[in-house]
Amino acid sequence: VCAGLLRLGGVVSLISIPVISGFTSAAALTIAASQLKDVLGIAGPSATTLVDTIRVLLPNLGGVKPVTVALGAAALLALLVLRRFLPRAPGPLLVVAAAAVVALLGPTGAVAVLGPVPSGLPVPEIPPVTTDDVGALLPSAAALGLVSYLEWISTATAFARRTRTRVDPNGELVAVGPANVAASPFRGLSGAAGFSRGAVNFAAGAKSPLSGVIAALLIVVALFTITPLLALLPKVALAAIIIVAVASLVDVRGALAIARVRRSDIVALFTTFVATLVLGPAAGLGVGVAVSIGLFLRQSTRPHMAELGRVPGTARFRNLARHEGLQTNPALAVVRLDAPLYFANSQSVTDAIADLADDRPALRAVVLDASSMPWIDFTGTESLAELDRGFAAAGVELHLAAVRGPVADVLGRARASTHLTEPDRSHPDVAAAVDALEAHLSR
C-alpha cells in the first residue's frame, strides 16, 4: 500500500517486452508440464520448475493409468473443439461435468478426484504478532512483496498486451495491498496475480476485473452449498482446462518478431525463458530483469556516433556510413553523438573522437553535433574540457553545434567548459559551424 501511495510502481519499467514474452512462454510451459502428472494419473509431489517436474515424472512413468490418460485426452480434445466451433459455450464447465459423470460411472479409484473440500469460511482472527515477530518478518515480507509485484505485474502486462489495454502499476499496488491485509485475519496466503488462473479467466472471455468479483462470490456460495460435489471433480479434467488455457500463451510469434528486430532483445528473451524453466517464475523473472539492465548499461556505455558529410548544394549533413556522394573537408571532421554524455559513456565517446583525430594529420577542427544529445552531467563536461585541451595541444579546435538549452546551461555552469559555450566555439547548427570554420581556415 505504501509503495502504491508513494508512486513506486515505476519499477515495472525495468521489465521489457522481450522479458515478458520469455517469462510468459516459460511460465505457460512450466504450468502445463506441472499438470501432466494428473493427466497421466501419476501420484507425486508438485514442482515449481520444468526441470523438477521432469525429475518427478520420469521415475513414475510405470504408474500411468490408461483410464486417466484416455479421459484426459478426451477432455483436451473436447476443450479444443468447443473453443474452435462453439467459443461462447462454457467449455470448461461442460468438460468438468462430463468427466465427473464418467468418473462416477467408472470403477472406483480408476480416476483421481479432488477429494474433501472444507466447507464454509474460516473464522477471522487477529494474528498474535509481537514486536519481535515484526522485526523478524519484515525483511522477508519486503522481499516477498517485491518479487510478487514483479511477477504479478508481468502477468498483468502479458494479458494487457493481448487485450490492448493498459496496466496502472501504482493502482495494482494499492489494490493488492489491501487485499492481502484483508486476507490475513482469515489466514490466507500472500496473494497476487495468478498466471494459471488468469489464463483460465482470459480463455473464458473475461473482459474486466468484475470477472474476479463474480468468481469470488461464486466460490463463497460453492463453499457453503456444493463442497460434496466439488470433492468428486476429476483432477484430470481440471488439469486439461489449465493446459489448454496456458498453451495459447506460449508466445512463439512474439519471439520471432523480436528476433527479427534486435539481437540483444532476443538474448534477454531467451535468458528469461531458460531461467524461468530451470529456476522457476520468480527467479527467472529476476534473471530477465538483471539481463535487461545489463544490456542497457552495455549499450549506454557505447552509444551510437556518426561522422557527417554535407549533402552537395545544401545545408544538410548526413551519416557518411549510410549515404554516398557527401562532401567532406580533410581539415574538418563533423561528429554527431546520439545519446546523452554522462559518466557511463563520456570516456568511450571522447576516446572515439580523439582516435578519429589521430588518424588524420591534416585535421584542424572537430565539430561535435549536439542536436541529439539531450543532457550532460558534470563528468561529461570534464571529459569535453579534457578533450578540448588535448586537441589544443595538437593544434586542433573543438567546436559545438546545435547545443540544446539544458546542455548549454550545464556547460556554462561548469568552469572547465564555460568557454565552449562562447559564440566563437558554439554554433546554432552544423552548417553554420562548418561555414565559419572553412572561412577561418581559408584565411
Side-chain angles (χ1 to χ4, degrees):
V1 174
C2 292
L5 295 177
L6 293 173
R7 315 290 295 176
L8 299 181
V11 70
V12 70
S13 62
L14 300 176
I15 310 175
S16 64
I17 290 178
V19 169
I20 292 175
S21 179
F23 167 78
T24 303
S25 299
L29 289 175
T30 301
I31 292 170
S34 70
Q35 304 302 311
L36 289 178
K37 63 182 181 64
D38 291 330
V39 173
L40 299 175
I42 296 173
S46 298
T48 57
T49 70
L50 183 64
V51 175
D52 290 340
T53 299
I54 295 174
R55 189 179 294 119
V56 170
L57 286 177
L58 289 179
N60 297 295
L61 289 179
V64 171
K65 296 181 180 179
V67 175
T68 301
V69 173
L71 185 57
L76 289 169
L77 180 62
L79 287 167
L80 294 174
V81 170
L82 288 171
R83 174 184 286 186
R84 176 67 177 85
F85 297 103
L86 294 172
R88 299 184 66 85
L93 187 61
L94 296 175
V95 167
V96 166
V101 171
V102 172
L104 286 173
L105 297 178
T108 303
V111 177
V113 295
L114 198 58
V117 177
S119 61
L121 295 175
V123 178
E125 63 179 48
I126 302 299
V129 180
T130 65
T131 305
D132 293 339
D133 292 332
V134 173
L137 293 173
L138 195 56
S140 297
L144 178 62
L146 176 61
V147 172
S148 295
Y149 171 68
L150 291 175
E151 190 169 357
W152 96 61
I153 203 68
S154 298
T155 300
T157 304
F159 289 113
R161 287 182 61 213
R162 290 174 172 268
T163 57
R164 297 187 177 181
T165 55
R166 297 179 63 186
V167 176
D168 178 6
N170 294 306
E172 293 290 326
L173 286 167
V174 174
V176 177
N180 277 316
V181 172
S184 80
F186 294 91
R187 298 181 295 282
L189 296 175
S190 174
F195 199 90
S196 57
R197 296 189 303 277
V200 173
N201 205 29
F202 179 77
K207 300 295 184 184
S208 77
L210 186 61
S211 63
V213 176
I214 294 174
L217 293 175
L218 290 175
I219 288 172
V220 172
V221 172
L223 289 175
F224 280 100
T225 57
I226 60 170
T227 50
L229 293 177
L230 295 178
L232 301 176
L233 295 181
K235 290 184 177 181
V236 62
L238 302 178
I241 292 171
I242 294 175
I243 290 174
V244 171
V246 301
S248 62
L249 298 176
V250 178
D251 194 12
V252 177
R253 183 178 299 176
L256 293 176
I258 291 169
R260 286 195 298 268
V261 175
R262 194 176 178 88
R263 283 182 296 179
S264 60
D265 285 339
I266 201 65
V267 170
L269 185 153
F270 183 74
T271 304
T272 305
F273 179 80
V274 174
T276 303
L277 290 179
V278 176
L279 303 176
L285 186 60
V287 170
V289 170
V291 170
S292 291
I293 294 174
L295 291 173
F296 165 76
L297 293 175
R298 178 176 178 272
Q299 178 65 30
S300 67
T301 59
R302 297 190 299 178
H304 178 261
M305 296 178 62
E307 185 177 358
L308 308 181
R310 187 194 291 267
V311 178
T314 71
R316 298 195 305 272
F317 285 76
R318 296 290 184 266
N319 188 345
L320 288 172
R322 290 180 174 271
H323 301 273
E324 297 181 356
L326 300 178
Q327 292 178 343
T328 59
N329 187 330
L332 288 175
V334 182
V335 180
R336 187 186 69 225
L337 172 62
D338 296 327
L341 186 63
Y342 69 118
F343 69 93
N345 66 10
S346 60
Q347 189 64 51
S348 63
V349 168
T350 54
D351 285 348
I353 298 175
D355 290 343
L356 182 147
D358 291 341
D359 295 336
R360 302 180 185 182
L363 193 67
R364 291 295 174 263
V366 173
V367 177
L368 176 60
D369 178 4
S371 60
S372 298
M373 189 169 72
W375 56 273
I376 189 172
D377 67 357
F378 180 77
T379 305
T381 64
E382 290 291 308
S383 297
L384 279 182
E386 183 178 349
L387 179 66
D388 181 52
R389 289 192 292 269
F391 276 170
V396 178
E397 286 189 358
L398 175 65
H399 288 246
L400 304 181
V403 180
R404 297 186 179 188
V407 175
D409 294 341
V410 175
L411 289 171
R413 290 195 296 267
R415 183 176 301 176
S417 59
T418 301
H419 65 287
L420 293 175
T421 63
E422 298 296 330
D424 62 329
R425 302 292 291 275
S426 182
H427 308 270
D429 53 52
V430 174
V434 171
D435 290 342
L437 286 169
E438 287 182 338
H440 174 70
L441 291 172
S442 66
R443 292 194 299 269

